[in-house]
Amino acid sequence: PAESPWWREAVFYQVYPRSFADSDGDGVGDLRGIIDHLDHLADLGVDCLWLSPIFDSPNEDMGYDVRDYRAVMAEMGTLADVDELIAGCHERGMRIILDLVVNHTSAEHEWFRRAVADPDGPYGRYYFLVEGTPDAPPNNWLSFFSGSAWRWLPEIERWALHLFAPGQMDLRWDTPAVRREVADIVAWWLDRGIDGFRLDVINYISKPEGLPDGNAFVGQLMEFTGVETYFYGPRLGEFLEGLRRDGFTRRTAPASTPRRRLPDGTLGDPLPPDEVGVMVGETPGIGVELGRMLSAAGQDRLDLVFNFDVLDTPGHTRWDAYRYDPEYLKRYFLGYSSRLTDADWLAVFFDNHDNPRMLSKFAGGAESDPDVRTAVGKLLATIQLTMRGTPFLFQGQELAAVDQAFSGPAQMRDVETLNRYASLLAEGRGAAEAWAEILAGTRDHARVPMRWTPDGGFTTGEPWLAGTDRATGFSAQEQAADPDSVYSWHRDLIRLRRANRALTAGGIRWVRPERRGYLAYERFLGDDRFLIECNITPRPLHRPRFDGHVEPLLGGPRTETMAPWAATVGRVR
Ligand code: TEU
């Protein structure tokens, strides 16, 4: 492919601003903190930042409940800080996208306040406000954060829909004014120089006429009654095409554009503005085929989708304290990547702010041994950064971040976690059993502050959420200084990708997939061929013969036996 779009060859890096770096000592990460650490990200070599929400919010769901889309959350800074951050990224050859949460708004958003003040007025149609009686909600849908998805508003004697927290009110996308409002928000931010958005639960936005009940069995299976009625709703494609057409096509010259980053990592002149801001869809429940319908090239809908199937071994959820089956990850990629045509493209992610760390899921507690932690951190980075697709790193992965040894619910901050704990107790589960489930799956594992220095370095105050990891050698300062660290491995791999398009735009060919514990493939483009080999087991692994001379690039020579969790990258001559 002569010139694939920039986001097919980019490495994305998700910043969770609340926990990245706090510059003013209030214990909450802020935009100035990100600006102060841009060189860490530029040195790592990532191409595009994705910031979890920074808009004004009461933080019932840590910014995923927006009160004003054109104002910055007070704890995080100001619009001037955003402008400085955008310029700082572009100057370093990086793009930046924000997190657009428009399946719902905060109940404190002006639109919702106006809707409640006049439910039969224009803003009443922005939300699902259903007349009824307090004893019977309109249907059997459940919220993802425990309890019914309906909230009774006595002052107007109506039920209001909230798929998430009671303060996250679902928008009615079938109301044209809502679609126009969202398109205007997108265009407003693109004019400021943003390069696109990650779109929060964007596949939920088209609810079916009549809001029918969910199938009780499916609800029990999926743990969320009703989800099958709206997770790929009747007008989803239409709404996405409209949002792209009316919002994401750049309408004026942005304040700045990213400088071109050359194959050797040096910086060139600013690029011309992208025709369209990138659209990355967070699409829980969307599998391979539906994902292709939403994101195949030429669809004019989304550019990339997150496929959640990678996160949990089949038959398990993040709550049941299982340890991930690495053979499943191999089957996932074998299956998924073998189903994609050139028109399709995979977003490759293992971690985000909603899930425990894949390193801990893989290592199953053995990561308390720093050598295992380092090996598994490098192994996952190798797969993620050489797999055919666009890698999305989550902050901390470059430091081999792990799950936390939280000791009780008082340490939790996540609304999903706290609601689930309360509902487990209400169901009569013992406190110890309920806590074990929460400890296994809480989103707070991934939300603890970045470790910049051996003694922390995130804040000079009390962090809003305290991490428990004190292991020596895994702060950014220590990792960046160690050529054999997980950080250096990420940086070296990203440099290798940038210098060799076989590793980004190239094809993929699996090597001896039948060999248990051995995950290996070639990446190739023209005469360039690379061999990636991984031992996805905690035991030594005998490497099969390989026809061709392999020049070692990362992880050392092609020994006959691979150490536990070892990964190697070589050029095939
Ligand atoms: O996440 C939606 C989502 O898929 C997860 O919340 C998942 O449904 C939930 O954890 C149940 O397993 C997005 C954001 O990433 C998340 O942080 C927000 O809480 C949520 O939407 C609501 O905005």
Side-chain angles (χ1 to χ4, degrees):
E3 181 62 23
S4 44
W6 66 268
W7 43 263
R8 277 203 177 192
E9 307 198 28
V11 176
F12 282 72
Y13 182 102
Q14 180 191 359
V15 174
Y16 192 69
R18 198 173 186 81
S19 301
F20 192 71
D22 167 29
S23 71
D24 61 9
D26 68 354
V28 174
D30 47 48
L31 298 175
R32 175 66 44 200
I34 304 173
I35 293 166
D36 294 345
H37 290 83
L38 279 181
D39 289 335
H40 167 80
L41 298 168
D43 179 62
L44 182 57
V46 299
D47 300 291
C48 185
L49 305 192
W50 149 33
L51 270 55
S52 275
I54 60 171
F55 306 128
D56 174 41
S57 163
N59 286 306
E60 185 177 6
D61 186 18
M62 301 309 164
Y64 284 93
D65 47 324
V66 179
R67 183 166 47 200
D68 182 348
Y69 292 94
R70 294 179 176 81
V72 175
M73 193 185 302
E75 304 93 310
M76 288 192 183
T78 65
L79 284 171
D81 293 329
V82 179
D83 293 340
E84 188 178 338
L85 176 57
I86 295 169
C89 288
H90 288 168
E91 178 54 31
R92 292 169 175 80
M94 298 189 291
R95 286 180 169 86
I96 176 171
I97 67 174
L98 297 183
D99 204 317
L100 191 66
V101 185
V102 287
N103 171 70
H104 47 268
T105 72
S106 164
E108 295 183 23
H109 193 288
E110 182 193 358
W111 299 340
F112 191 74
R113 289 211 306 275
R114 291 186 176 188
V116 172
D118 176 11
D120 298 315
Y123 289 94
R125 279 190 297 281
Y126 276 36
Y127 299 91
F128 295 93
L129 299 177
V130 180
E131 293 182 280
T133 55
D135 59 321
N139 63 27
N140 65 357
W141 295 2
L142 293 181
S143 157
F144 290 99
F145 295 165
S146 306
S148 166
W150 293 94
R151 171 179 161 192
W152 176 247
L153 300 178
E155 64 271 40
I156 54 175
E157 294 196 326
R158 302 201 185 192
W159 291 94
L161 177 66
H162 62 88
L163 295 183
F164 292 93
Q168 293 174 286
M169 315 316 297
D170 282 65
L171 281 166
R172 286 193 58 165
W173 273 72
D174 58 321
T175 299
V178 168
R179 302 201 293 274
R180 214 171 12 258
E181 299 265 16
V182 176
D184 289 350
I185 291 164
V186 168
W188 191 84
W189 278 102
L190 290 180
D191 285 353
R192 281 198 103 91
I194 287 297
D195 298 290
F197 282 98
R198 175 265 196 188
L199 297 146
D200 187 63
V201 287
I202 197 64
N203 57 301
Y204 289 172
I205 60 175
S206 169
K207 274 71 171 183
E209 280 295 314
L211 304 177
D213 267 355
N215 173 295
F217 176 72
V218 170
Q220 195 267 333
L221 190 74
M222 303 299 289
E223 248 201 306
F224 303 112
T225 306
V227 65
E228 84 278 11
T229 68
Y230 57 76
F231 90 110
Y232 191 94
R235 300 178 65 185
L236 179 59
E238 174 201 339
F239 292 163
L240 291 174
E241 289 154 21
L243 181 56
R244 190 183 190 94
R245 182 189 59 240
D246 304 334
F248 277 86
T249 53
R250 265 198 200 291
R251 299 191 299 182
T252 61
S256 66
T257 61
R259 292 175 64 185
R260 181 185 305 278
R261 207 191 238 151
L262 304 170
D264 66 359
T266 56
L267 294 173
D269 294 334
L271 291 162
D274 299 327
E275 289 303 306
V276 183
V278 69
M279 297 175 78
V280 181
E282 188 218 17
T283 49
I286 294 290
V288 178
E289 288 314 310
L290 287 176
R292 299 182 62 215
M293 290 182 212
L294 290 176
S295 64
Q299 284 281 5
D300 287 341
R301 294 174 176 180
L302 300 169
D303 294 310
L304 287 165
V305 293
F306 290 146
N307 174 285
F308 280 35
D309 295 344
V310 71
L311 291 172
D312 295 310
T313 303
H316 289 287
T317 73
R318 60 187 158 104
W319 302 103
D320 61 21
Y322 75 100
R323 288 302 166 200
Y324 197 87
D325 172 5
E327 283 296 319
Y328 165 68
L329 186 69
K330 176 172 161 184
R331 290 198 302 275
Y332 170 82
F333 283 117
L334 268 167
Y336 202 148
S337 62
S338 65
R339 309 255 312 260
L340 299 184
T341 67
D342 269 354
D344 311 305
W345 203 253
L346 184 59
V348 184
F349 75 104
F350 294 148
D351 288 19
N352 61 25
H353 62 295
D354 290 335
N355 285 277
R357 292 282 178 175
M358 184 63 86
L359 196 163
S360 292
K361 285 161 41 175
F362 246 62
E367 72 274 19
S368 54
D369 172 342
D371 295 337
V372 172
R373 179 169 174 172
T374 297
V376 178
K378 291 178 176 179
L379 168 71
L380 291 171
T382 307
I383 298 169
Q384 192 173 10
L385 291 164
T386 64
M387 180 53 63
R388 180 170 160 77
T390 295
F392 281 75
L393 297 174
F394 176 62
Q395 70 179 46
Q397 269 186 261
E398 77 274 28
L399 306 180
V402 293
D403 285 351
Q404 305 299 300
F406 293 125
S407 55
Q411 293 174 297
M412 302 290 89
R413 295 293 177 272
D414 171 31
V415 62
E416 178 191 53
T417 301
L418 292 167
N419 287 5
R420 189 178 184 99
Y421 183 67
S423 64
L424 289 173
L425 295 182
E427 285 163 23
R429 306 276 281 276
E433 183 197 350
W435 170 244
E437 177 165 324
I438 296 309
L439 181 58
T442 178
R443 302 191 296 180
D444 282 331
H445 281 302
R447 300 178 174 193
V448 295
M450 281 282 278
R451 297 180 62 202
W452 293 105
T453 59
D455 60 356
F458 163 71
T459 181
T460 55
E462 277 305 305
W464 70 278
L465 164 69
T468 64
D469 176 26
R470 298 283 181 278
T472 305
F474 292 98
S475 69
Q477 188 180 70
E478 295 159 291
Q479 287 275 309
D482 174 0
D484 293 330
S485 66
V486 174
Y487 173 88
S488 299
W489 187 273
H490 278 80
R491 186 187 53 200
D492 296 346
L493 268 174
I494 292 171
R495 284 178 180 162
L496 195 64
R497 282 171 55 94
R498 183 180 319 290
N500 297 282
R501 287 191 76 228
L503 291 170
T504 53
I508 185 168
R509 179 172 41 243
W510 292 91
V511 173
R512 309 296 300 276
E514 77 286 352
R515 294 286 298 258
R516 253 189 93 69
Y518 179 67
L519 188 160
Y521 45 91
E522 287 185 80
R523 298 298 313 276
F524 53 89
L525 183 68
D527 297 336
D528 290 337
R529 274 172 73 192
F530 293 86
L531 174 64
I532 294 92
E533 296 176 284
C534 302
N535 172 5
I536 53 173
T537 78
R539 298 170 300 281
L541 184 82
H542 186 77
R543 239 196 272 244
R545 266 178 26 76
F546 178 77
D547 299 332
H549 171 70
V550 180
E551 171 205 336
L553 293 174
L554 269 163
R558 196 171 183 278
T559 52
E560 207 164 287
T561 303
M562 296 186 81
W565 305 120
T568 58
V569 180
R571 188 190 297 277
V572 181
R573 294 277 186 215

